[in-house]
């Protein structure tokens, strides 16, 4: 369970990880030689990992407010959705862990102040985002709603110790 109090904090800053740090982490912890491109995030540090000629994944360094069991819950939920969201017109694309042989899926990285950061590589899913759009066509909103509905229905059958936490967006706590 997280020790972070989402109702008391005014912000949840992403971990301070540079592109050079990301290259070193991927090389030392996952055995991959890549270049990186920082990606935006509201709470984590994310980097697109580029191999010799194509993206190989996204390095995701979790915010230190989240415990290992919460990170494991995220990974388990992604795998659960991939297994169960196969109905409908299209299969739900899921960014699950990319784990090189012999490498644990989650690496523990010292944060420099006695704490630990959890890093993992997840699948790169090509495509765009809706951020920055001035106008979003109604059919795109409808597709987003349908996707949210499918995933919500699927997750009613999901349970993991890492989901037992208090979040601001949980209606039972707001």
């Amino acid at each position: 369970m997280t020790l972070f109090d989402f109702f008391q904090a005014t912000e949840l800053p992403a971990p301070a990880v540079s592109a050079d740090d990301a290259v070193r982490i991927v090389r030392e912890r996952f055995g991959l030689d890549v270049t990186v491109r920082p990606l935006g995030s509201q709470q984590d540090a994310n980097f697109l990992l580029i191999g010799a000629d194509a993206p190989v994944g996204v390095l995701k360094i979790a915010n230190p407010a989240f415990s290992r069991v919460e990170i494991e819950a995220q990974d388990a939920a992604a795998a659960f959705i991939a297994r169960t969201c196969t109905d409908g017109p299209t299969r739900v694309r899921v960014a699950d862990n990319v784990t090189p042989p012999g490498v644990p899926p989650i690496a523990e990285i010292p944060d420099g102040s006695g704490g630990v950061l959890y890093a993992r590589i997840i699948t790169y899913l090509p495509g765009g985002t809706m951020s920055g759009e001035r106008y979003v066509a109604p059919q795109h909103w409808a597709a987003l709603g349908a996707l949210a509905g499918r995933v919500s229905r699927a997750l009613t059958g999901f349970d993991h110790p890492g989901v037992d936490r208090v979040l601001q967006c949980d209606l039972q706590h707001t």
Side-chain angles (χ1 to χ4, degrees), residues 21-33:
D21 293 335
V23 168
R24 181 183 46 76
I25 290 167
V26 172
R27 184 178 59 251
E28 292 176 2
R29 301 303 175 115
F30 298 98
L32 300 174
D33 287 317

Side-chain angles (χ1 to χ4, degrees), residues 7-95:
F7 290 100
Q8 298 300 317
T10 58
E11 63 182 345
L12 187 60
V17 178
S18 71
D20 289 340
D21 293 335
V23 168
R24 181 183 46 76
I25 290 167
V26 172
R27 184 178 59 251
E28 292 176 2
R29 301 303 175 115
F30 298 98
L32 300 174
D33 287 317
V34 297
T35 59
V36 302
R37 187 177 81 208
L39 301 172
S41 176
Q42 181 250 339
Q43 63 189 22
D44 300 326
N46 298 309
F47 298 86
L48 177 61
L49 306 179
I50 304 163
D53 58 355
V56 296
V58 174
L59 175 66
K60 186 167 197 62
I61 302 172
N63 192 289
F66 298 103
S67 66
R68 183 178 185 106
V69 71
E70 290 170 300
I71 304 307
E72 291 168 345
Q74 291 176 10
D75 294 343
F80 185 84
I81 291 167
R83 283 192 314 273
T84 59
C85 282
T86 57
D87 64 326
T90 58
R91 182 179 187 93
V92 174
R93 296 187 319 154
V94 177

Side-chain angles (χ1 to χ4, degrees), residues 48-157:
L48 177 61
L49 306 179
I50 304 163
D53 58 355
V56 296
V58 174
L59 175 66
K60 186 167 197 62
I61 302 172
N63 192 289
F66 298 103
S67 66
R68 183 178 185 106
V69 71
E70 290 170 300
I71 304 307
E72 291 168 345
Q74 291 176 10
D75 294 343
F80 185 84
I81 291 167
R83 283 192 314 273
T84 59
C85 282
T86 57
D87 64 326
T90 58
R91 182 179 187 93
V92 174
R93 296 187 319 154
V94 177
D96 54 357
N97 286 346
V98 174
T99 308
V103 176
I106 301 173
E108 295 186 2
I109 312 297
D111 71 357
S113 64
V116 73
L117 298 172
Y118 299 107
R120 63 205 197 273
I121 299 173
I122 61 173
T123 310
Y124 168 73
L125 300 175
T129 66
M130 291 174 59
S131 69
E133 298 283 334
R134 291 191 178 263
Y135 172 77
V136 179
Q139 66 267 24
H140 290 131
W141 287 118
L144 181 60
L147 173 63
R150 288 176 67 197
V151 170
S152 292
R153 275 193 313 276
L155 287 174
T156 60

